[in-house]
Amino acid sequence: MPPVLNKELSKVDGLAFLGLSLARKSDRGHPESITHQIAFDFNDVIDRSYEYIQSTNDDGWLVGGGEPGPPKSFKLAARDSAHVEIMRIGTYKPEWGGISEKEIIDVLKSGKILIPQIEVLPTAVVANGDKPPEIVIRFDMPFGPDFVDMAAELPPNWQLRFVHNQLFKHFYNPSRFCPDAFHSTIVRKAKFRSESHKEAYFSMCDAVLKKWKLAGPRPLNANPVDNKSGIWLFADRTKPTHFFPPNFLPPYNTEEKRKIILSYLTEEWDEKTLDWKPAVYPEKSVERKEQQSSGSGGPFMEWCGNPIEALLGGARPQATS
């Protein structure tokens, strides 16, 4: 069973979630696919010609426009369902451990959850631990935020943990969880033709990642003139139903906004203990914090436990449990 908040009260493992839609129509994919972002073409990291990969499950490629079906492909025809889960809800039935759809929509529309302009950067393409594995695109924070310099650049993908932690502090339904690191699944049950084919495939992906890194984090807009990169409510991965645009807008280097952001980046959810713990960032950022810390525990520790209500002058309502 996934690491839900309360196993005894989680009756049904549903598929509703809040997250990002990375769907993009392609002439190589399903004709009914919908474009929600033009920042990344995931056809660059999939193997439609099966040069490297020998077999997958029936779904085939989940991204890059999805599977077109015969005569272009002979997997199950399906639209592009590229997405990143931020919080799994489960079902819309509270008696099954979920949350009513109305409550979710009301909370997201109320402004109680601050939604920044979502800009993301794929940081890795990896095989997970399944046998055979899923291949996933990761959206990690490659370094931690600077808790001293308010004008310092925020790490790529900071928005995902920022939104995730707010959602986890507001919603306490029994079926709530987040499936592993922030990622988008490319394909399931991938079997490579050989180890050398596997190495060649991931080398190809690394080259694409370097190209994306040069461009930096990108907003998830459906066309070049849009400026509303936010989050979606999904009934399941194939059905994004409600869009919530940003309500916490740039710039993010003002003292007031940076304090709000940093207050949510000090912690991370521990799936084993089902509790909060101090956030752990890659070694590079830890070294930087150690160099900047003072003798009283350092700036990072000063942020821990800093309630968001105080930062907003008491204007925000208390999180409900």
Side-chain angles (χ1 to χ4, degrees):
M1 189 172 187
V4 297
L5 187 61
N6 188 318
K7 293 181 180 179
E8 286 71 28
L9 297 179
S10 181
K11 304 297 184 183
V12 177
D13 181 22
L15 300 176
F17 67 92
L18 286 161
L20 311 181
S21 176
L22 302 173
R24 177 170 172 164
K25 188 170 185 175
S26 167
D27 58 7
R28 304 176 68 186
H30 195 282
E32 296 179 7
S33 287
I34 298 173
T35 293
H36 286 153
Q37 61 86 22
I38 57 172
F40 309 104
D41 185 356
F42 294 138
N43 279 298
D44 292 345
V45 292
I46 67 179
D47 181 23
R48 286 194 185 275
S49 63
Y50 290 87
E51 180 179 350
Y52 308 104
I53 292 176
Q54 183 174 1
S55 64
T56 72
N57 78 339
D58 291 346
D59 293 320
W61 301 103
L62 304 175
V63 306
E67 282 288 346
K72 288 186 176 181
S73 77
F74 290 86
K75 297 289 185 176
L76 294 174
R79 297 188 299 177
D80 188 317
S81 60
H83 67 277
V84 176
E85 289 196 39
I86 297 178
M87 185 185 79
R88 178 74 67 89
I89 296 160
T91 71
Y92 294 146
K93 290 181 175 290
E95 63 270 26
W96 287 355
I99 313 169
S100 74
E101 183 181 33
K102 182 181 185 303
E103 180 182 353
I104 299 163
I105 294 170
D106 287 348
V107 169
L108 270 293
K109 285 185 174 181
S110 73
K112 294 176 182 178
I113 304 299
L114 298 179
I115 304 172
Q117 174 79 4
I118 302 294
E119 297 182 0
V120 296
L121 176 67
T123 53
V125 177
V126 300
N128 73 1
D130 294 350
K131 295 185 183 300
E134 292 185 5
I135 300 176
V136 303
I137 304 170
R138 293 273 295 254
F139 294 84
D140 298 318
M141 289 173 61
F143 57 88
D146 193 317
F147 289 86
V148 176
D149 183 1
M150 292 288 145
E153 179 184 9
L154 287 164
N157 303 320
W158 66 268
Q159 297 96 331
L160 301 182
R161 179 172 288 180
F162 178 69
V163 174
H164 168 278
N165 285 4
Q166 289 183 80
L167 292 171
F168 267 48
K169 287 177 180 289
H170 186 93
F171 294 107
Y172 288 87
N173 61 297
S175 295
R176 187 203 75 186
F177 79 101
C178 183
D180 303 319
F182 299 122
H183 70 277
S184 180
T185 300
I186 297 175
V187 70
R188 296 190 173 100
K189 295 189 180 299
K191 291 184 179 180
F192 289 91
R193 296 189 178 279
S194 68
E195 280 300 312
S196 60
H197 284 85
K198 180 178 179 180
E199 291 176 9
Y201 169 76
F202 285 113
S203 294
M204 177 194 74
C205 293
D206 287 343
V208 176
L209 290 166
K210 289 177 182 177
K211 179 185 71 173
W212 287 339
K213 184 177 180 181
L214 288 174
R218 305 281 301 280
L220 302 177
N221 293 318
N223 60 69
V225 299
D226 274 355
N227 188 24
K228 54 180 182 180
S229 180
I231 65 174
W232 287 82
L233 174 63
F234 293 73
D236 60 55
R237 65 177 174 84
T238 69
K239 298 181 182 68
T241 58
H242 296 79
F243 176 72
F244 304 98
N247 58 19
F248 182 62
L249 300 175
Y252 299 117
N253 58 358
T254 65
E255 183 176 0
E256 179 184 11
K257 288 182 180 178
R258 188 57 64 95
K259 284 182 177 179
I260 293 171
I261 293 167
L262 294 178
S263 72
Y264 278 112
L265 300 185
T266 60
E267 295 179 296
E268 60 184 335
W269 183 253
D270 189 326
E271 292 184 344
K272 295 181 179 179
T273 64
L274 299 179
D275 201 356
W276 296 98
K277 65 180 181 181
V280 177
Y281 294 106
E283 188 173 349
K284 177 182 176 183
S285 64
V286 171
E287 291 173 353
R288 185 169 68 243
K289 288 179 210 165
E290 288 176 349
Q291 293 170 358
Q292 295 173 340
S293 294
S294 64
S296 61
F300 177 75
M301 294 307 297
E302 292 171 8
W303 291 99
C304 293
N306 197 355
I308 191 66
E309 289 78 15
L311 293 172
L312 293 176
R316 284 173 65 87
Q318 296 289 328
T320 57
S321 59

